[in-house]
Amino acid sequence: REALGSETPLFRANRGSVATNSTQLLELKMALESAVSSLSDEEVKKYNVRPSIHMDAMAFGMGCCCLQITFQATDMDESRFLFDQLAVMAPIMMALTASTPVLRGRLADTDCRWGIISECVDDRRPAERGRQGGPEPDPEVAGKGYRRLYKSRYDSISTYIFQGKTDDSHMTNRILNIYNDIPVPIDEDKYRDLRKAGIDPLLSQHIAHIFV
């Protein structure tokens, strides 16, 4: 049975390797708790460090099971309307069905899997997280990898995208931001391309935000 397991070094059939890696993880955990306890309250707050459950693979997030549903709408307006409605309903349903209080056999201070999924694929650079340092600016990355991104690229939505029928002439070139009240960094080049192609400002902003 073990020979059919994952080829990931941590889970190969060699029992000794598994035991060694488990010991190393335990030592890492103990070292982390010791290091955190030695920091001042100001340092803990500044660097956002705390004893944690060590999850060493993306699968801890993307491996969480879920029910995924695909909707087929009649047109773009209905699609955008459903998007906004689900943005309100989904967190409520997530709270009602929360069932992930234990990770790696340890009780966490959360009961929902969303944070684990978001963080396990969070590829923001230090500068994008608001920290100092990091690699040199990359012209291939929106904002050259130095613009502040306030959450993981794989996270909750940032904008509502329905603001009435798109054939209403007075709404064609407007963004109605009554409820869109959080920062929405975008890829400006993608936004310009979308606008030139005739996509309305709000949907262009939504799509260009995905490409940051």
Side-chain angles (χ1 to χ4, degrees), residues 68-81:
Q68 183 168 324
I69 302 173
T70 301
F71 291 83
Q72 180 173 338
T74 56
D75 54 29
M76 181 62 71
D77 286 329
E78 186 177 61
S79 297
R80 293 169 70 162
F81 177 78

Side-chain angles (χ1 to χ4, degrees), residues 32 53 96 115 180 191:
L32 176 61
I53 301 173
L96 291 174
N180 292 335
Y191 180 82

Side-chain angles (χ1 to χ4, degrees), residues 64-102:
C64 292
C65 62
C66 69
L67 175 64
Q68 183 168 324
I69 302 173
T70 301
F71 291 83
Q72 180 173 338
T74 56
D75 54 29
M76 181 62 71
D77 286 329
E78 186 177 61
S79 297
R80 293 169 70 162
F81 177 78
L82 285 172
F83 179 93
D84 286 2
Q85 300 305 306
L86 289 169
V88 177
M89 289 296 298
I92 299 173
M93 299 302 297
M94 189 178 294
L96 291 174
T97 59
S99 58
T100 317
V102 178

Side-chain angles (χ1 to χ4, degrees), residues 30-86:
M30 294 174 64
L32 176 61
E33 290 180 337
S34 176
V36 171
S37 64
S38 68
L39 297 175
S40 66
D41 292 341
E42 291 76 15
E43 289 173 318
V44 170
K45 184 177 181 180
K46 178 180 179 181
Y47 298 107
N48 191 28
V49 294
R50 57 179 178 170
S52 59
I53 301 173
H54 181 69
M55 292 178 280
D56 62 344
M58 187 183 75
F60 280 105
M62 291 302 176
C64 292
C65 62
C66 69
L67 175 64
Q68 183 168 324
I69 302 173
T70 301
F71 291 83
Q72 180 173 338
T74 56
D75 54 29
M76 181 62 71
D77 286 329
E78 186 177 61
S79 297
R80 293 169 70 162
F81 177 78
L82 285 172
F83 179 93
D84 286 2
Q85 300 305 306
L86 289 169

Side-chain angles (χ1 to χ4, degrees), residues 8 27 182:
T8 304
E27 290 175 349
I182 63 174

